[in-house]
Amino acid sequence: MYIRGRYLALALIASIGISSGVTALVTSNNGTSALPGSSTATPEFTKLMDTYNTLQKSYYQEAKSDTLLNGAIEGMIKSLEDPYSTYMAPQEAQQFHENIESSFEGIGAEIREEEGKIVVVSPIKGSPAEKAGIKPNDRIRSVDGKSLDGMTASEAVLHIRGKKGSKAELVIERPGQQGELNISLVRDTIPLETVYSEMLPEQMGKIQITKVSETTYTEFSKALTDLKAQGMKGLIIDVRQNPGGLLDKTVQMVDMLLPEGKMILQVEYRDGSKDTYKSDAKKEDLPIVVLIDEGTASAAEILAGALKESGDVPLIGTKSFGKGTVQTTKSFDDGSDIKYTIAKWLTPDGNWVHKNGIEPDYKVELPAYASLTAIDPEKEMRQEQFSNEVKSAQTMLDALGFKPGRLDGYYDAKTTEAVKAFQTANKLEATGTIKGTTAIKMMEQLQEKLKKNDLQLEMAERVLRKMIP
């Protein structure tokens, strides 16, 4: 999170499409730059200065000043053992700000580093990552053959990002599933649009917020106005798979939905002092429910927590991610930044959600097939093969009503017959193998089935229906 005026802008989770690193000088309290060994350095930096001078003079190869200083800064940040504190070289800092303010090219997923592994927080709606079936808590072990183990999230982003149209070959480790998944996808432009709205039956409006960027409040306000003009009687806010974003925009949205004077959140610093954010706008007179899941993080959790505790708004879905710290950034003249944690944020009632998440009032799980990864249309699956990809395909067939007989990843004769039945039903050549159009059709129909069987949304509609006068 970084400070902008009276608001704090959330930069809570590194994004694929963002990268981090820094080339910077050690800065003294008065804002002047002090190189190691200079007369302005404070006594506690003697060891650092001695190391710097020794390496410059005696290392067997030339030790560049920038490299040594960058390494020292990186070491300081890493010693905090905080996955949300990082450094950003000029290119990485530029990408970071682009993700907050504009579109970028990549696979479209928010990530973080956890114990040396790169972990997905949430795929972005409509992105290649979401279409490929990447899920929250997936571990990205490698990309294009390059291991990401041991990298910071910012370092990993440099390898995961790429030009639109370029292919990314990912190796994924999914908790609770044996073996690794090989996922192939094509990078694309990740869209700016963050708010999607529609009118559901019985004049119930639905607004989905996919992340919180510079344009989100404006988009949300317009969506709310449009739905009200259509006679909306109640509102479902969907922040599932929302990895967070800017706090000032979140505060503005929540401000529209809570009575004046109600607490939105508290920000607590290490000395115990707190900043409080309260609603000062007129509340929309609407019954509201909120959808959350394990991909709901940071700013999205602020919205959910504020509405739950200050507005008695029921939450529906599964427990949220649990990101409760605040970051700030410091920029340097060369375009680099450091991002580091300065505080923790608390819900209106003073609860710290960090690593705990927010529990829904109505716990509703999605069907098991909702967590399946995509299958690669370019790779052929046929009889006698055994893999996790085959297991995913078998589960898809089973969910679509074409019984493969087994779901363990072994492609036997019965799986072949199930594939032929699916192909025949969809007027495709009945080869009994899965590739190309067959794979694409399977995934499209599964997505459509999931959309029609969104148990969490169904519960939200039932709950909201009872709240509408």
Side-chain angles (χ1 to χ4, degrees):
M1 209 187 295
Y2 57 87
I3 295 175
R4 299 191 315 173
R6 65 179 286 264
Y7 293 113
L8 299 174
L10 283 167
L12 297 177
I13 302 171
S15 169
I16 292 176
I18 303 176
S19 56
S20 294
V22 75
T23 304
L25 301 178
V26 178
T27 305
S28 63
N29 291 333
N30 62 8
T32 61
S33 298
L35 281 170
S38 70
S39 59
T40 59
T42 53
E44 56 264 33
F45 282 92
T46 299
K47 184 177 180 180
L48 177 63
M49 293 186 291
D50 285 347
T51 302
Y52 172 86
N53 290 326
T54 298
L55 292 175
Q56 279 238 305
K57 294 176 181 177
S58 304
Y59 188 63
Y60 85 107
Q61 292 180 337
E62 180 185 1
K64 296 182 178 179
S65 296
D66 285 351
T67 302
L68 294 175
L69 293 171
N70 294 344
I73 295 169
E74 179 182 9
M76 290 182 202
I77 299 294
K78 283 186 175 180
S79 72
L80 300 172
E81 297 184 349
D82 176 8
Y84 305 108
S85 294
T86 187
Y87 71 166
M88 295 174 275
Q91 179 187 3
E92 297 166 324
Q94 179 182 355
Q95 292 170 354
F96 172 81
H97 292 292
E98 283 176 356
N99 187 62
I100 294 174
E101 298 172 359
S102 63
S103 63
F104 61 90
E105 294 180 354
I107 73 168
E110 304 286 341
I111 64 169
R112 64 186 174 93
E113 181 273 332
E114 181 181 284
E115 298 180 351
K117 299 292 191 299
I118 299 302
V119 180
V120 175
V121 173
S122 177
I124 295 171
K125 181 179 174 65
S127 68
E130 184 191 52
K131 293 175 182 177
I134 292 175
K135 304 296 179 185
N137 295 314
D138 279 352
R139 271 69 171 159
I140 304 178
R141 302 302 302 275
S142 69
V143 57
D144 299 329
K146 176 70 174 179
S147 174
L148 303 184
D149 290 355
M151 291 187 182
T152 65
S154 301
E155 292 168 339
V157 163
L158 290 176
H159 298 282
I160 299 171
R161 274 198 72 161
K163 292 183 178 180
K164 177 181 179 179
S166 63
K167 180 176 282 190
E169 300 285 351
L170 307 181
V171 175
I172 299 289
E173 181 183 88
R174 178 162 293 169
Q177 183 168 319
Q178 292 185 345
E180 294 178 331
L181 302 169
N182 296 300
I183 296 179
S184 177
L185 48 78
V186 177
R187 297 177 177 95
D188 202 351
T189 300
I190 309 305
L192 279 172
E193 190 174 3
T194 62
V195 174
Y196 302 82
S197 64
E198 61 179 310
M199 185 67 80
L200 302 175
E202 303 178 54
Q203 298 303 104
M204 289 186 286
K206 176 175 173 283
I207 297 179
Q208 181 183 16
I209 308 169
T210 59
K211 69 174 183 177
V212 187
S213 69
E214 290 284 359
T215 61
T216 302
Y217 167 69
T218 301
E219 291 178 56
F220 180 81
S221 181
K222 182 179 184 303
L224 197 59
T225 299
D226 290 345
L227 289 172
K228 287 171 62 181
Q230 297 175 51
M232 175 175 58
K233 296 179 180 179
L235 175 63
I236 298 171
I237 300 176
D238 187 352
V239 288
R240 292 176 294 179
Q241 304 294 301
N242 182 324
L246 301 175
L247 179 60
D248 59 334
K249 305 306 176 184
T250 304
V251 168
Q252 287 177 306
M253 288 188 289
V254 176
D255 201 15
M256 300 173 66
L257 306 172
L258 288 179
E260 184 176 357
K262 286 286 188 177
M263 183 75 72
I264 296 174
L265 83 156
Q266 308 172 57
V267 176
E268 181 178 329
Y269 301 93
R270 71 178 184 183
D271 64 359
S273 63
K274 293 180 181 178
D275 289 334
T276 58
Y277 295 79
K278 295 183 179 181
S279 174
D280 58 10
K282 183 179 179 182
K283 176 185 182 297
E284 291 287 344
D285 189 19
L286 279 172
I288 300 172
V289 299
V290 176
L291 284 165
I292 63 171
D293 66 6
E294 65 278 2
T296 302
S298 63
E301 289 177 293
I302 290 174
L303 181 146
L307 293 180
K308 175 183 173 71
E309 294 183 0
S310 288
D312 295 323
V313 171
L315 306 183
I316 298 160
T318 55
K319 186 171 72 172
S320 68
F321 181 81
K323 173 66 177 72
T325 55
V326 178
Q327 281 71 46
T328 189
T329 59
K330 178 176 176 61
S331 300
F332 297 91
D333 290 340
D334 65 353
S336 61
D337 285 359
I338 58 172
K339 177 167 69 75
Y340 58 99
T341 301
I342 58 168
K344 57 186 180 182
W345 67 265
L346 310 174
T347 65
D349 291 346
N351 296 313
W352 194 32
V353 307
H354 199 61
K355 297 184 179 180
N356 296 315
I358 301 173
E359 291 285 353
D361 298 286
Y362 299 85
K363 185 175 182 180
V364 183
E365 302 275 357
L366 290 177
Y369 59 79
S371 63
L372 289 175
T373 51
I375 52 180
D376 187 353
E378 296 185 13
K379 294 180 181 178
E380 186 177 56
M381 285 181 273
R382 59 173 58 247
Q383 195 165 319
E384 304 301 330
Q385 288 182 348
F386 180 82
S387 68
N388 281 318
E389 287 78 9
V390 171
K391 183 177 180 179
S392 290
Q394 289 172 327
T395 308
M396 288 182 190
L397 287 166
D398 186 67
L400 294 171
F402 299 89
K403 303 301 181 183
R406 62 198 303 161
L407 305 175
D408 60 0
Y410 176 65
Y411 203 127
D412 64 359
K414 196 161 185 179
T415 299
T416 299
E417 291 306 312
V419 173
K420 286 182 178 180
F422 175 84
Q423 291 169 328
T424 300
N426 287 277
K427 299 180 180 181
L428 302 172
E429 184 182 0
T431 62
T433 62
I434 301 173
K435 187 180 180 181
T437 305
T438 298
I440 293 170
K441 282 280 187 183
M442 287 172 60
M443 291 187 289
E444 287 177 347
Q445 290 185 19
L446 191 71
Q447 285 297 315
E448 188 62 28
K449 180 181 176 69
L450 183 59
K451 186 176 180 180
K452 292 178 179 178
N453 293 276
D454 188 340
L455 302 180
Q456 294 169 341
L457 179 58
E458 289 175 10
M459 176 60 80
E461 291 177 351
R462 287 201 295 270
V463 172
L464 184 59
R465 191 176 293 116
K466 294 179 181 179
M467 297 169 60
I468 295 174

